[in-house]
Amino acid sequence: MRVNVISDVHGNTADLATAGAGADALICLGDLVLFLDYADHSRGIFPELFGVENAHRIVELRTARRFEEARDFGRGLWAGIGVDPETAIEGAVRRQYADMFAALPNPTYATYGNVDIPALWPEYAQAGTTVLDGERVELGGRVFGFVGGGLSTPMRTPYEISDEEYAAKVEALGEVDVLCSHIPPDVPDLTYDTVSRRFERGSRALLDAIRRTRPRYALFGHVHQPLARRMRVGDTECVNVGHFASTGRPWALEW
């Protein structure tokens, strides 16, 4: 049995079509949407609406953790073009989802990332795609548990939830062989991004579940350039698979 695992697709539709090649199933751990590419400021919804120079500025402010200034700057841009932000963003996300969900192979098991909009997924997920959040599925005799979304941050991305709500989803899984989430467990080496030079939010509930239930693997993404892509926590192999946008390559799990 082989499953290919990806996360942080961020608009890489071209490679998504072959992400399941050679595998019995594809697992996608979210962040299909590309709002703004921090490596290439010409890509994403933001530069499509406001241009590359404004994308440079918003990245500069966010990287400096000047989040209030970034929000003020963004509000000024929206006022300048006279377009309702929610309507414009939803339209752009819908166009991305239409392309990406059509490219997913059958079968795909997917959960949400923090920049995804869960309410839209039922409209685009096709028959071969199973969406799981706080739920389990058995593949080849192993139990996979899925937890989608992210925790609250100053970035205020679309699918951020409270620590309590997130912990309840983790608790609902019980014991699993493979713990699949969008964000990592709260371990400094796994949450630190070496390019943005900041710690992303990891989940204490995930870390506690790993220590308590000892799954064989914990798979996640979210941190694009982590200090450590792979490390053990007790008996569990923790693996960051969140490099799909830049590499187009899935991570394979075989047994």
Side-chain angles (χ1 to χ4, degrees):
M1 182 77 180
R2 169 175 165 168
V3 295
N4 286 356
V5 189
I6 62 174
S7 184
D8 299 83
V9 177
H10 292 303
N12 187 356
T13 308
D15 291 314
L16 196 57
T18 58
D24 297 287
L26 177 70
I27 288 175
C28 178
L29 301 182
D31 270 11
L32 300 181
V33 172
L34 178 61
F35 187 73
L36 176 58
D37 189 332
Y38 277 58
D40 180 354
H41 302 167
S42 68
R43 298 181 64 244
I45 296 171
F46 188 95
E48 288 174 8
L49 291 167
F50 303 117
V52 177
E53 289 304 316
N54 287 322
H56 291 331
R57 179 59 177 160
I58 201 80
V59 169
E60 179 184 45
L61 291 171
R62 288 178 175 179
T63 302
R65 304 185 68 79
R66 293 156 60 183
F67 297 115
E68 285 300 327
E69 289 182 61
R71 278 191 283 274
D72 289 341
F73 181 67
R75 281 192 286 266
L77 293 175
W78 284 111
I81 64 172
V83 176
D84 175 60
E86 185 173 337
T87 301
I89 291 173
E90 182 176 313
V93 170
R94 284 181 177 277
R95 290 190 291 274
Q96 291 187 10
Y97 277 168
D99 291 338
M100 285 184 284
F101 276 100
L104 289 173
N106 181 3
T108 293
Y109 300 88
T111 196
Y112 316 111
N114 63 294
V115 302
D116 286 312
I117 303 178
L120 298 181
W121 280 37
E123 296 184 42
Y124 297 96
Q126 301 183 14
T129 298
T130 302
V131 180
L132 301 145
D133 188 16
E135 298 164 287
R136 301 149 50 106
V137 67
E138 184 177 326
L139 301 174
R142 289 190 178 181
V143 177
F144 289 70
F146 291 77
V147 184
L151 297 172
S152 300
T153 72
M155 300 288 281
R156 300 180 185 174
T157 51
Y159 190 41
E160 293 182 357
I161 60 177
S162 70
D163 290 57
E164 293 75 17
E165 185 178 353
Y166 194 93
K169 293 196 294 185
V170 175
E171 182 67 24
L173 297 179
E175 294 187 10
V176 297
D177 298 302
V178 184
L179 179 57
C180 300
S181 58
H182 178 68
I183 63 174
D186 189 16
V187 177
D189 285 1
L190 299 177
T191 59
Y192 186 75
D193 191 300
T194 60
V195 173
S196 63
R197 291 182 293 180
R198 68 168 183 257
F199 289 97
E200 302 290 349
R201 283 214 65 188
S203 167
R204 181 72 191 189
L206 285 173
L207 180 60
D208 289 345
I210 288 169
R211 288 172 170 164
R212 184 177 67 256
T213 66
R214 297 183 295 178
R216 299 186 189 203
Y217 292 92
L219 310 178
F220 50 87
H222 188 57
V223 183
H224 296 169
Q225 297 88 201
L227 189 62
R229 288 202 176 274
R230 188 166 184 159
M231 66 181 293
R232 295 194 72 84
V233 174
D235 296 330
T236 302
E237 190 75 14
C238 299
V239 184
N240 183 314
V241 300
H243 48 71
F244 190 78
S246 59
T247 69
R249 294 193 302 270
W251 183 81
L253 177 60
E254 297 184 75
W255 67 97

